[in-house]
Amino acid sequence: MKKIIKWTIFIAAIAFVGYWGYGQVVKPTAPSDPVMEVPQVISFPVTEENIMNSVQVKGRSEYGRETNVYAPFEAKVGSWNVQNGQQIKKGETLFNLEQKGIRQQLEQKEAEMQKRKLEKELKEFMLNQDLDNAPMGATEAERLKALAEQENVRLSSQLDEVNESIERQAMADLQDKLKKSAYISPDSGIFLFDSSQQQQPQSVSANQYIGKIVDLNSLRFVAYVDENDIFSIKPGMAVEIKLPSIKDTRLKGKVLEVAKFAETVAQEKQSSQTPQFKVIISLPKNDLLIGGLTLNGEIVTVQKDKAIVVPKLAVQTEGGVSYVMIDKGEGLVERQEIKIGLITLDKVEVLSGLKTGDSVVLQ
């Protein structure tokens, strides 16, 4: 009996120790409640800044005044007095066309006219001689023959006058060619040969395009904008101009003209065509500027100086009313209705409801 009691106490002791060890080592502890982090409040100061709205444009530099040069007639070029890119003055001779062939034609025309004049005088003399020597008792047939010869001379004389008029006009045209063979520059500027042909050609055809005279002082920036931006652009607006080919170069210009009618401009890599409006922008004098350069511009459409502004992200709208949440300190925020003005890409002008030094939060 004592032995049974002893073993019972022993087994109970082992069971107690095992249960206690399981609770301390094996049995998992109950998960604790997660710690809630206080949401971080992002605050922004209310500042006073100069803000603006703008329109980005792209285009090229072009000469506002160009004078095209065409060959006056077909001929060989006797001499060139101008090089590509040369500065020229109005009245200077650009090139001379050969005159030999013209002078030969002119001399031939003059000789033919003199010959016709002599032949006409001879016909009139012979007719007068025949009339003076006609017999007194001429028959009717002889009188008719004399009248016919007289009429023939008269008609021949009229035909000669017509031919003479034609010849005189031809001679006048040749004289005009002689004058135009020395091509006088119609304007001052820089002469540029046609890039599609050989410079200083040895012969030219009638009305062949030779090149152009450009006025460097008339260089301008020609850009195109779509209908979404055209109504916000007005003449006189300031433009900041950049040259992609020359980094860190900034130029100042102004809008000169805004087209009232759209032009159809083919868009790159697109099969469709989009109506675009031409905007002409002035360019300052600069040695880096030439015609044909790619230019980028930023047209300032609206500008406000010393405006009270907040970040656009902080402004909320509800029921047509705009408001922000003001940081009152110590974790307290308060709703504040505001009246807004100019809105830019990332800023909002506050006309009333806030002052410089306030702090708004983004929740």
Side-chain angles (χ1 to χ4, degrees), residues 35-265:
V35 178
M36 299 297 291
E37 295 184 1
V38 178
Q40 186 178 2
V41 176
I42 303 175
S43 62
F44 300 96
V46 178
T47 58
E48 184 180 83
E49 302 177 16
N50 297 335
I51 59 173
M52 66 179 185
N53 268 340
S54 61
V55 175
Q56 304 294 326
V57 296
K58 293 183 178 181
R60 293 185 178 276
S61 57
E62 297 181 4
Y63 296 105
R65 195 177 78 188
E66 298 181 349
T67 304
N68 293 329
V69 175
Y70 297 94
F73 54 88
E74 182 177 0
K76 291 183 177 181
V77 181
S79 62
W80 284 99
N81 301 327
V82 64
Q83 300 288 335
N84 192 50
Q86 180 178 331
Q87 177 76 45
I88 58 174
K89 295 181 179 179
K90 183 177 181 179
E92 293 182 345
T93 302
L94 300 185
F95 56 88
N96 291 285
L97 300 179
E98 287 190 354
Q99 300 180 353
K100 182 178 180 180
I102 301 173
R103 293 189 181 279
Q104 287 178 345
Q105 293 180 52
L106 192 58
E107 291 173 357
Q108 183 179 356
K109 295 292 183 184
E110 290 175 345
E112 290 176 355
M113 285 192 67
Q114 184 65 24
K115 178 182 177 182
R116 286 195 180 93
K117 181 181 178 181
L118 294 175
E119 289 176 347
K120 179 182 178 182
E121 292 177 352
L122 179 60
K123 287 180 181 179
E124 291 177 349
F125 175 79
M126 295 297 295
L127 177 61
N128 292 331
Q129 288 292 323
D130 291 341
L131 292 175
D132 293 341
N133 297 328
M136 295 297 295
T139 64
E140 184 68 19
E142 290 174 339
R143 287 197 299 272
L144 291 174
K145 181 180 178 181
L147 290 173
E149 290 178 351
Q150 186 178 11
E151 183 65 15
N152 183 49
V153 171
R154 185 182 68 81
L155 293 175
S156 178
S157 178
Q158 290 181 348
L159 181 61
D160 288 342
E161 289 178 359
V162 172
N163 290 330
E164 183 178 350
S165 177
I166 294 174
E167 291 297 325
R168 288 189 182 279
Q169 182 60 51
M171 291 177 63
D173 292 341
L174 290 172
Q175 293 285 358
D176 187 55
K177 278 188 175 182
L178 281 178
K179 294 178 181 179
K180 292 180 178 179
S181 62
Y183 190 93
I184 305 301
S185 174
D187 206 348
S188 299
I190 300 296
F191 182 80
L192 300 174
F193 276 101
D194 179 16
S195 59
S196 65
Q197 68 177 5
Q198 177 188 3
Q199 293 187 7
Q200 294 188 343
Q202 300 305 306
S203 62
V204 295
S205 57
N207 298 317
Q208 176 182 333
Y209 175 63
I210 304 297
K212 59 186 177 182
I213 303 167
V214 299
D215 180 9
L216 294 181
N217 295 326
S218 68
L219 199 63
R220 58 190 187 175
F221 177 10
V222 178
Y224 290 88
V225 299
D226 60 28
E227 59 188 13
N228 296 321
D229 295 322
I230 190 62
F231 295 107
S232 61
I233 300 174
K234 300 290 185 292
M237 288 182 172
V239 185
E240 182 176 286
I241 303 165
K242 301 177 183 178
L243 285 74
S245 58
I246 308 175
K247 295 182 177 179
D248 301 326
T249 300
R250 301 289 186 273
L251 302 174
K252 298 294 183 181
K254 285 187 178 182
V255 176
L256 297 177
E257 299 178 23
V258 181
K260 296 181 180 179
F261 301 96
E263 298 181 21
T264 303
V265 180

Side-chain angles (χ1 to χ4, degrees), residues 264-307:
T264 303
V265 180
Q267 302 295 307
E268 294 182 1
K269 301 180 180 179
Q270 292 184 4
S271 58
S272 61
Q273 293 181 331
T274 305
Q276 300 282 292
F277 294 83
K278 181 186 288 187
V279 177
I280 298 177
I281 301 166
S282 66
L283 286 173
K285 290 184 179 181
N286 191 294
D287 294 338
L288 300 175
L289 291 176
I290 57 175
L293 291 177
T294 299
L295 301 176
N296 296 331
E298 182 179 12
I299 302 175
V300 180
T301 56
V302 181
Q303 182 169 336
K304 291 287 187 72
D305 296 334
K306 296 182 178 181

